[in-house]
Amino acid sequence: MGKLIGSFLHKLFFAVCAVVILLVGWHLIVVFGGFNHALFPPPFVVFATLGEMITSGEIFIHIRISLWRFFVGYSLAVFVGLVMGLIVGRLDFLSRLVEPTVQLIRPVAPVAWMPFIVLLFGIGDMPAIMVIFLAAFYPVLMSTISGSKKINVNYLNIAKMFEIKQPQVFLKIILPAIFPYIANGMHMGLGTAWVFLVAGEMMGVRSGLGFLIMDSRNNMQPEVLLATICVIALLGLLLDKIITMFESRVNKHWGIKGD
């Protein structure tokens, strides 16, 4: 227990130091860079604005809406990517068809599809959700395909010899074997999806963190813009920690050693 607390305090110390260095650097750049505070406000102005947004409750409305869109798009991407990845990874002829197609389409930024998405789904939540889906889908799909191809065939042969049937083969052998690959894809997908959430909310919606950035830019409110960026950064870090904890718990359940 003491070792755990010591490790936590050690990490907390370095995290606090990193934040302090960042804030001091930000303040020094504003002061000595000769920037107009109306265009590039110092940290204390931004945090005062953030405090007002928290007190009024405005920021929580946008956070709730953005997290809902993110959860729907990301969950759908993980589910579809996982199912497709398992099927494609186990069927060689499908893999030869799908992988080149995915590699061709994947480099196209999700926001490049926005005009077509708006034409198909109209204005509202769906365009933002679809952008999030596209951003998270490819990393999960490709990681799952890669993991499915690398399953040790000896495990499947042993299961066959002992006449272990589905769904036990999938739950006890296949899923634990490829979970590190799935977790890696989920991590990469979460990062890219959170980035493109903001881009997706900059068009066709009247709420969310992305909309708040565009609205503050249009109204020349840099302090609101920077306060929103701080919130996006903190939420992104929190989401990453949550998925890391989920990965650790699943690894512990299956007896998989972490790096």
Side-chain angles (χ1 to χ4, degrees):
M1 186 68 179
K3 191 176 179 181
L4 252 165
I5 294 172
S7 175
F8 171 76
L9 291 175
H10 182 73
K11 290 178 180 178
L12 182 63
F13 171 76
F14 280 100
V16 171
C17 286
V19 171
V20 170
I21 291 169
L22 179 65
L23 292 176
V24 170
W26 176 1
H27 184 74
L28 291 175
I29 288 170
V30 173
V31 172
F32 294 104
F35 293 101
N36 187 331
H37 288 196
L39 298 176
F40 186 30
F44 65 88
V45 173
V46 172
F47 287 115
T49 302
L50 181 58
E52 293 172 6
M53 293 167 73
I54 290 170
T55 304
S56 68
E58 176 193 4
I59 191 67
F60 296 113
I61 296 170
H62 294 288
I63 287 172
R64 178 179 57 80
I65 293 169
S66 288
L67 286 177
W68 178 80
R69 289 173 183 147
F70 179 81
F71 177 77
V72 173
Y74 180 72
S75 300
L76 189 61
V78 170
F79 176 75
V80 177
L82 181 59
V83 172
M84 280 189 64
L86 287 167
I87 294 170
V88 172
R90 301 306 299 164
L91 299 174
D92 188 55
F93 76 95
L94 264 182
S95 178
R96 292 179 184 181
L97 288 172
V98 171
E99 283 196 76
T101 306
V102 171
Q103 295 293 1
L104 181 67
I105 298 174
R106 187 172 60 164
V108 179
V111 289
W113 300 104
M114 182 60 83
F116 298 102
I117 293 171
V118 171
L119 284 172
L120 287 171
F121 297 102
I123 300 297
D125 291 330
M126 279 307 296
I129 290 171
M130 288 305 300
V131 167
I132 295 163
F133 171 84
L134 290 172
F137 171 69
Y138 295 118
V140 175
L141 175 66
M142 297 309 295
S143 294
T144 307
I145 290 173
S146 178
S148 299
K149 288 182 175 181
K150 293 177 182 177
I151 295 174
N152 193 326
V153 291
N154 291 328
Y155 297 158
L156 300 176
N157 290 335
I158 291 169
K160 189 176 181 180
M161 184 174 66
F162 283 98
E163 298 183 348
I164 301 174
K165 306 294 184 184
Q166 295 289 4
Q168 293 302 312
V169 173
F170 174 74
L171 294 174
K172 301 293 185 181
I173 297 173
I174 295 176
L175 196 54
I178 67 172
F179 181 74
Y181 295 91
I182 295 171
N184 184 51
M186 289 174 66
H187 252 118
M188 291 190 296
L190 183 138
T192 54
W194 188 246
V195 169
F196 282 105
L197 161 74
V198 176
E201 287 184 332
M202 284 181 175
M203 293 179 280
V205 294
R206 300 291 298 171
S207 59
L209 296 171
F211 164 76
L212 199 55
I213 285 179
M214 287 295 292
D215 188 58
S216 57
R217 188 205 69 174
N218 294 336
N219 292 312
M220 290 297 293
Q221 297 174 308
E223 68 282 359
V224 176
L225 192 152
L226 286 170
T228 307
I229 288 173
C230 290
V231 171
I232 290 168
L234 288 172
L235 286 174
L237 179 63
L238 179 62
L239 288 170
D240 183 76
K241 294 298 180 186
I242 290 171
I243 201 167
T244 300
M245 289 171 60
F246 166 74
E247 180 185 353
S248 298
R249 289 181 70 89
V250 174
N251 283 338
K252 186 177 179 182
H253 175 73
W254 281 326
I256 302 171
K257 291 184 179 179
D259 296 333

